[in-house]
Amino acid sequence: MTIYCVFADAPEKRRSDRCNTVIVQAANEAAALTAAEQHIGASPGDLAGFAVVDLSTAPPFVVRGHPPLGGAGQSVWPSTPHAL
């Protein structure tokens, strides 16, 4: 499995809930989009326009904004969003 970054690569693609960058492990890019949608509770196809990057070949990067938001059942990342 590969780790992917799924993200809004243009301002008009940004989501109102600010979930615009999702890191997931998946078998391929299509599966990464599905996993990202499931992680943030989006409907199937909601992230279809997002870019998908294989992190094993990507240069270092920064995600500006709020801290990472984890899913339920884990204790590494915050699991509730900060007040907007």
Side-chain angles (χ1 to χ4, degrees):
M1 297 273 254
T2 302
I3 298 175
Y4 292 93
C5 179
V6 179
F7 67 100
D9 59 346
E12 64 274 8
K13 296 179 185 179
R14 291 183 189 145
R15 297 172 48 86
S16 61
D17 64 5
R18 296 183 173 179
C19 291
N20 295 307
T21 302
V22 185
I23 308 298
V24 295
Q25 188 174 26
N28 55 48
E29 290 185 11
L33 282 168
T34 298
E37 289 167 346
Q38 290 172 348
H39 181 67
I40 64 172
S43 297
D46 278 0
L47 304 183
F50 277 36
V52 181
V53 175
D54 176 344
L55 290 181
S56 69
T57 60
F61 66 99
V62 171
V63 178
R64 275 196 306 202
H66 296 286
L69 181 62
Q74 57 78 46
S75 60
V76 176
W77 309 109
S79 58
T80 56
H82 294 272
L84 301 177

